[in-house]
Amino acid sequence: MHEYSLANNLIEILREQKKEKKAKKILKVELDFGKLSGAEPFLFEEAFEILKKETEFKETELKINIIEPEIKCLKCGKIFNALSFPFLCPFCENFGGEIIKGDKIFIKSLVIENF
């Protein structure tokens, strides 16, 4: 389960942000979580909830926005959704495409409390 590793990385990022922004607390972190990121959001959330208990982020709320994947067809250039490989364009039936959205995990926002 690499979700624990990802959640641990998030905690490290929160520490860096807390220090950089000279925040008293990080109240909330909001993530955009791509469906093709290779991680399961519910496992990630569970890992974060377990790991944060041993940190200064015990009270930090985690919000996860699930991002649907968008694929750009390499033949016709149209955008479509797909959840599994190989990608099949529903417009021209070409296999393959470029993932333009939904394959990453981003921090969308942080809500902090200053001193």
Side-chain angles (χ1 to χ4, degrees), residues 24-41:
K24 182 178 177 184
K25 288 182 179 179
I26 295 183
L27 302 172
K28 182 177 178 180
V29 58
E30 183 175 2
L31 302 180
D32 280 352
F33 207 105
K35 276 191 172 179
L36 293 179
S37 67
E40 292 294 333

Side-chain angles (χ1 to χ4, degrees), residues 35-109:
K35 276 191 172 179
L36 293 179
S37 67
E40 292 294 333
F42 69 96
L43 293 175
F44 180 87
E45 186 172 10
E46 183 178 291
F48 182 76
E49 293 299 320
I50 291 169
L51 292 172
K52 78 176 189 178
K53 291 178 183 173
E54 303 298 321
T55 72
E56 65 270 38
F57 305 109
K58 291 176 188 154
E59 298 174 22
T60 302
E61 178 188 348
L62 174 65
K63 181 180 180 197
I64 294 178
N65 306 313
I66 304 298
I67 305 300
E68 296 291 329
E70 289 183 358
I71 314 300
K72 182 177 181 181
C73 178
L74 297 176
K75 184 177 178 186
C76 71
K78 293 187 177 178
I79 308 295
F80 60 96
N81 293 345
L83 292 177
S84 61
F85 296 99
F87 303 129
L88 175 63
C89 177
F91 303 103
C92 71
E93 298 186 349
N94 183 54
F95 280 103
E98 176 186 359
I99 301 171
I100 57 173
K101 185 177 175 186
D103 63 336
K104 297 183 175 43
I105 302 169
F106 288 105
I107 295 176
K108 182 176 182 181
S109 68

